[in-house]
Amino acid sequence: MKKSLLITIDGPAGAGKSTVSRLLANKLSYTYLDTGALYRALAYRCIQEGLSATDKGGIANLCQRTGIVLQNKEGFLKVLADGEDVTDKIRTESISLQASAISAMPPVRAALLSIQREAGKAGGVVAEGRDMGTIVFPEADFKFFLEAGMNERIKRRHRELVIRGDAVQYQNVKRDLMMRDRQDREREIAPLKVPEGAFIVDSTHVSAEGVVETILSVIRKRQAFL
Ligand code: DC
């Protein structure tokens, strides 16, 4: 397989993007680019500074002075916000909601765009997010859109939070996931949608390993013609 492919994986929360992207990147010895972590790190800094998601001026200002860095070390991804390691702190439900809310703001997306493009420019990357194939990397070699049924997505997200030690109610996970879906799909800039030329993969009844196999077979098949 060509070493420097740029592969994008978009999709809603709970569709299995992170697990699949990490596995795929490992299999190919590629870099895993978790762009949601960038939005989460900025959301973390917003909350730390007591900025509400409606404070456009305050958030625009924060974007200008906050340094977000993604570090990939031997397959492990570290996220730094102004030098602070926030890797584990950004996975909570309150950060998910704040990240979704601020990600609709133009200064937030503008601040994170160059970091993402820089990280992907050399290829050899599996880039995961909501606008990878549409806005950030429209010229990607391969684009995938991961879907899963709503009930399955809620179950997965709930399980993920419980495993992390978060005693969150199933009904609350459902409410938050539906709200985030609406925000991410209906925002004016870079809404979540299937990118042109993307392969849609439904993971409702398929394991992450199975999805990775499907993705690899699509890539191998198409590469044979290149
Ligand atoms: O993928 P995630 O759940 O970690 O992302 C958290 C939020 O960040 C998501 O609800 C919307 C936003 N996001 C985005 O707008 N664009 C991306 N490329 C990645 C995430």
Side-chain angles (χ1 to χ4, degrees):
M1 195 164 293
K2 205 173 105 192
K3 184 67 197 151
S4 58
L5 292 175
L6 174 55
I7 303 168
T8 62
I9 302 194
D10 287 301
K17 289 188 311 297
S18 301
T19 314
V20 164
S21 302
R22 199 175 289 117
L23 273 174
L24 181 65
N26 269 346
K27 260 207 155 134
L28 297 172
S29 302
Y30 277 17
T31 300
Y32 165 47
L33 176 59
D34 173 8
T35 62
L38 300 171
Y39 291 89
R40 286 174 178 274
L42 257 188
Y44 172 84
R45 292 283 294 111
C46 280
I47 292 173
Q48 207 178 33
E49 294 214 355
L51 292 169
S52 99
T54 52
D55 184 351
K56 289 186 182 162
I59 291 175
N61 177 273
L62 180 79
C63 288
Q64 281 175 357
R65 58 189 164 81
T66 301
I68 310 285
V69 177
L70 279 183
Q71 282 179 351
N72 251 295
K73 276 202 182 130
E74 287 140 25
F76 288 99
L77 193 78
K78 230 186 192 186
V79 192
L80 306 178
D82 289 331
E84 179 186 354
D85 183 351
V86 297
T87 315
D88 293 324
K89 300 175 189 163
I90 56 174
R91 299 291 157 193
T92 64
E93 271 305 80
S94 56
I95 301 269
S96 298
L97 289 173
Q98 183 83 350
S100 173
I102 65 165
S103 67
M105 295 178 176
V108 170
R109 302 208 77 82
L112 298 178
L113 187 62
S114 53
I115 303 177
Q116 298 170 72
R117 290 211 171 129
E118 184 62 30
K121 75 173 186 207
V125 168
V126 178
E128 177 226 317
R130 302 290 190 291
D131 61 344
M132 297 296 95
T134 51
I135 306 289
V136 182
F137 303 117
E139 308 299 331
D141 297 294
F142 287 93
K143 302 179 187 181
F144 294 90
F145 191 88
L146 220 53
E147 262 297 4
M150 181 54 98
N151 285 341
E152 183 60 25
R153 289 172 47 212
I154 298 165
K155 256 196 259 168
R156 285 179 191 169
R157 180 71 187 140
H158 183 244
R159 201 183 310 132
E160 188 186 320
L161 288 164
V162 168
I163 288 171
R164 299 190 69 83
D166 200 341
V168 62
Q169 299 278 320
Y170 185 86
Q171 282 310 319
N172 293 348
V173 174
K174 180 176 179 179
R175 179 200 60 204
D176 293 352
L177 196 117
M178 289 173 93
M179 187 205 279
R180 206 141 70 89
D181 254 18
R182 203 167 43 246
Q183 281 178 167
D184 294 347
R185 289 182 203 263
E186 292 178 4
R187 67 183 176 219
E188 271 173 35
I189 49 164
L192 171 66
K193 63 177 178 191
V194 180
E196 223 181 286
F199 296 86
I200 300 175
V201 184
D202 188 330
S203 73
T204 312
H205 305 293
V206 189
S207 67
E209 288 79 8
V211 173
V212 169
E213 277 317 307
T214 303
I215 289 176
L216 284 172
S217 70
V218 167
I219 295 175
R220 285 195 197 104
K221 226 178 264 169
R222 173 106 79 79
Q223 280 222 304
F225 294 102
L226 295 179

